[in-house]
Amino acid sequence: MKDPTTKRYAYVTALNVIITISEFVGGFISGSLSLLSDAVHNLSDVGAIVISFVAHLISNRRSNQEKTFGYQRAETLAAFTNGIILILISIVLFIEAIERFWQPTKISGGIMLVVAIIGLVANVVSMVVMHQNNKDNLNVRSTFIHMLSDALSSVAVVIGAICIYFWHVAWLDPVMTILVSLFVLREAIVLTNEAANILMESNPDIDLDKVNQIVLSFTEIKNVHHVHVWRYSDQYIMLDAHVNVDAKLTAGEFEQLTQEISQKLATLGINHINFQVECERGKNYQMIVSDREHEE
């Protein structure tokens, strides 16, 4: 439990369990669909947080003969899974809210308001806890989006509860549910698409023309082709390419050259480079440069 991220996952899990139980009880007593839908949403979040937590622990394992790159993509898989879960939940909540317009039920605004405020406070705390590093880690970001959607859902429920309690505007309950479900759906699609792009080894918006320009700016490089750029994980963006060099260039000279090229490519975010060299005499050899090797 020394890892700060591990501690954050533990805190958020405990808070969401408390929120879920209180909202289920309050939802059944008050008859509020938005409160029950928020409870279902929080229940899914508990499972999503556990998935993210387990993936985080797996990702910290060292590389081995079977997983030579390590286990970092476990967090990407968790983010993709959580994104799919969020999409399904959003669709279900949307459908239930539409059905509520045709089958309205009596709602106890007072109970709904008290439980909603408790849920809002806990969700805001959870969101703040997971805010750190959510931009640098897709898995943490997926959990943060869960917390953000919960906080917004709780805000909607509180607003709906106030209107229902004071003005008896029952139709606002499904309306708020629809608005929240649409917002969560949008965020979930963006998250899922980003995770899918990593799993599909897509180019993470790096300009290949700039890559070629940097590599060819070194006079020792005569040509560069078969260029592939992809994101392996949150930490690694990789490049694989064939380069033509003068046959007189020694392995030691090319190693120094590759180090210099890697430093310039790092400005684009690329931090793991694999060059296959093709010489005039038909000799091929490879040079790989990565942050991981530097650390070792």
Side-chain angles (χ1 to χ4, degrees):
M1 294 294 289
K2 295 181 179 180
D3 180 7
T5 302
T6 302
K7 291 181 179 179
R8 288 197 291 271
Y9 275 123
Y11 295 151
V12 170
T13 301
L15 279 173
N16 273 267
V17 169
I18 295 173
I19 297 171
T20 302
I21 294 174
S22 63
E23 289 192 334
F24 266 121
V25 174
F28 280 117
I29 295 176
S30 66
S32 169
L33 174 63
S34 59
L35 200 57
L36 283 173
S37 64
D38 201 35
V40 173
H41 190 178
N42 278 303
L43 179 62
S44 70
D45 284 344
V46 174
I49 293 168
V50 171
I51 291 174
S52 297
F53 181 35
V54 172
H56 171 71
L57 295 178
I58 293 174
S59 70
N60 288 329
R61 297 176 61 183
R62 297 180 63 86
S63 59
N64 52 46
Q65 291 186 357
E66 182 181 358
K67 301 291 188 299
T68 56
F69 274 113
Y71 293 81
Q72 292 184 22
R73 277 201 172 175
E75 291 197 291
T76 305
L77 286 169
F80 181 80
T81 302
N82 283 336
I84 296 297
I85 292 173
L86 279 169
I87 290 174
L88 294 175
I89 289 173
S90 300
I91 294 173
V92 170
L93 293 183
F94 183 86
I95 293 173
E96 288 184 354
I98 294 298
E99 291 177 349
R100 180 57 69 94
F101 281 113
W102 280 270
Q103 296 178 344
T105 59
K106 184 178 179 181
I107 300 173
S108 175
I111 298 175
M112 179 183 173
L113 179 60
V114 173
V115 177
I117 291 175
I118 295 174
L120 175 59
V121 173
N123 280 320
V124 170
V125 172
S126 297
M127 185 180 67
V128 172
V129 169
M130 296 306 299
H131 176 68
Q132 188 175 357
N133 297 330
N134 83 87
K135 293 183 179 180
D136 300 324
N137 186 301
L138 193 63
N139 188 36
V140 173
R141 182 180 158 200
S142 71
T143 305
F144 174 76
I145 291 177
H146 273 281
M147 300 302 97
L148 175 61
S149 64
D150 282 347
L152 290 175
S153 179
S154 295
V155 169
V157 174
V158 169
I159 294 174
I162 292 174
C163 294
I164 292 170
Y165 182 76
F166 289 102
W167 299 289
H168 307 289
V169 188
W171 56 264
L172 196 59
D173 186 56
V175 168
M176 288 296 184
T177 303
I178 290 174
L179 293 177
V180 172
S181 65
L182 291 176
F183 172 81
V184 175
L185 179 62
R186 177 185 175 278
E187 293 298 315
I189 290 175
V190 172
L191 172 69
T192 305
N193 182 63
E194 187 173 346
N197 281 334
I198 293 178
L199 296 174
M200 293 294 293
E201 299 186 344
S202 303
N203 179 356
D205 296 326
I206 289 180
D207 190 337
L208 296 183
D209 290 334
K210 288 185 178 180
V211 171
N212 291 340
Q213 183 179 356
I214 289 175
V215 176
L216 293 174
S217 67
F218 293 84
T219 57
E220 296 89 345
I221 305 296
K222 307 303 179 183
N223 183 36
V224 57
H225 52 283
H226 291 130
V227 178
H228 301 281
V229 178
W230 71 99
R231 181 182 292 278
Y232 172 76
S233 66
D234 292 313
Q235 289 76 34
Y236 287 98
I237 296 179
M238 303 190 173
L239 178 145
D240 182 271
H242 292 205
V243 293
N244 294 99
V245 300
D246 193 312
K248 296 180 181 179
L249 196 69
T250 66
E253 291 171 339
F254 183 70
E255 180 179 3
Q256 178 62 35
L257 176 64
T258 306
Q259 295 284 350
E260 294 174 4
I261 295 175
S262 70
Q263 291 176 3
K264 285 199 172 183
L265 289 175
T267 61
L268 300 179
I270 300 172
N271 50 24
H272 186 104
I273 301 169
N274 179 9
F275 281 148
Q276 179 168 318
V277 180
E278 299 173 353
C279 303
E280 294 177 358
R281 297 175 184 173
K283 295 180 180 179
N284 291 354
Y285 58 91
Q286 290 184 324
M287 181 59 62
I288 301 175
V289 176
S290 71
D291 283 352
R292 181 177 297 173
E293 290 176 354
H294 292 165
E295 294 171 357
E296 294 177 350

